Amino acid sequence: MSILRAFAISSAALAVAGCGSVPETSREARAPVSAPRPFAVTQESRMCLAGLGETGSRFSPLPDRYYGGGCNTVNTVQLSAVQGDRSQFGVSNIGPVTCGTAQTFAAWARFGVDRAARQILGSPLARIETMGSYSCRNVAGTGRRSAHSRAAAIDVSAFVLEDGRRITVSADWSGGSDSERRFLRIVHRSACKRFGTVLGPNYNADHHDHFHLEQGDGSFCR
């Protein structure tokens, strides 16, 4: 997608947002405390959208929204598909996600997931299933806001292959075939090379069914 096309799509997205649509949030989330602000108003934002377009991803830029209590969706996009080596594949159940997080996710999906699926499981990727992105909530057991509260994290739960197989974190991390377990561990390690924080089943029981992928400058991989 060229940046010009991205801007064209973003205009349509803003028109829809003006009709009162609100991103999916947790029960803690509140209505926006201010009107939506324009997107891509900074040079950094424009460069990020251009870079995301160059990955071959399908997405729509979203207007900035502030929900109070430290929760916001600023410089976010609605991502619907990312590009593999040979074809695009879908991303399901994902909400607003920051442009930078979407760029990192697109690179991981292509080079870390799609290639591993073909090399280890013998089939290209068809879809990545997620448990969402933005959610106005705290890190479990703390009073600190989660990266989800600013749309800088994605929870990935499953991978669907073109041959119909569905590899899930919950069932196949420990209970899958040798190749399925190997695949999940390789894509987990690949994510650790790109995201600041990556949490999976080995971290705690809360992550038994998904990989938490968080944008950032750190290097915390469990």
Side-chain angles (χ1 to χ4, degrees):
M1 175 184 295
S2 68
I3 187 60
L4 293 177
R5 185 182 175 193
F7 287 151
I9 293 175
S10 68
S11 299
L14 182 57
V16 173
C19 296
S21 63
V22 178
E24 289 186 3
T25 61
S26 69
R27 294 179 182 177
E28 293 183 36
R30 292 176 283 180
V33 296
S34 61
R37 298 186 182 183
F39 40 73
V41 295
T42 67
Q43 180 67 16
E44 182 180 2
S45 297
R46 289 191 289 269
M47 289 178 64
C48 186
L49 290 175
L52 183 58
E54 289 171 359
T55 69
S57 300
R58 290 206 310 265
F59 65 93
S60 297
L62 298 172
D64 294 347
R65 291 185 182 273
Y66 298 85
Y67 296 89
C71 297
N72 63 76
T73 52
V74 176
N75 295 330
T76 60
V77 299
Q78 182 64 58
L79 189 64
S80 58
V82 292
Q83 180 67 43
D85 284 339
R86 301 175 182 176
S87 62
Q88 281 191 333
F89 43 87
V91 182
S92 65
N93 197 44
I94 192 170
V97 63
T98 63
C99 180
T101 305
Q103 268 194 297
T104 303
F105 180 84
W108 170 71
R110 178 174 184 175
F111 301 114
V113 182
D114 185 42
R115 290 184 180 181
R118 286 188 280 109
Q119 292 170 5
I120 299 170
L121 301 175
S123 174
L125 195 64
R127 184 173 71 254
I128 294 178
E129 296 181 356
T130 84
M131 299 171 69
S133 49
Y134 171 75
S135 179
C136 187
R137 67 175 188 255
N138 291 341
V139 175
T142 75
R144 179 169 54 89
R145 283 300 190 196
S146 165
H148 287 288
S149 69
R150 58 183 186 277
I154 302 171
D155 288 341
V156 173
S157 58
F159 306 90
V160 179
L161 308 182
E162 283 190 0
D163 65 11
R165 280 179 290 172
R166 182 171 177 264
I167 314 301
T168 70
V169 177
S170 61
D172 299 314
W173 179 263
S174 298
S177 66
D178 289 345
S179 60
E180 289 166 347
R181 293 196 302 270
R182 182 183 171 212
F183 166 75
L184 288 174
R185 280 157 178 77
I186 284 178
V187 299
H188 178 272
R189 288 197 299 269
S190 176
C192 291
K193 297 177 182 179
R194 297 178 182 275
F195 292 91
T197 297
V198 176
L199 307 176
N202 287 345
Y203 180 61
N204 61 18
D206 290 336
H207 295 82
H208 75 281
D209 58 357
H210 69 278
F211 297 148
H212 170 90
L213 311 180
E214 180 178 328
Q215 185 78 350
D217 297 326
S219 181
F220 190 82
C221 175
R222 294 292 187 275

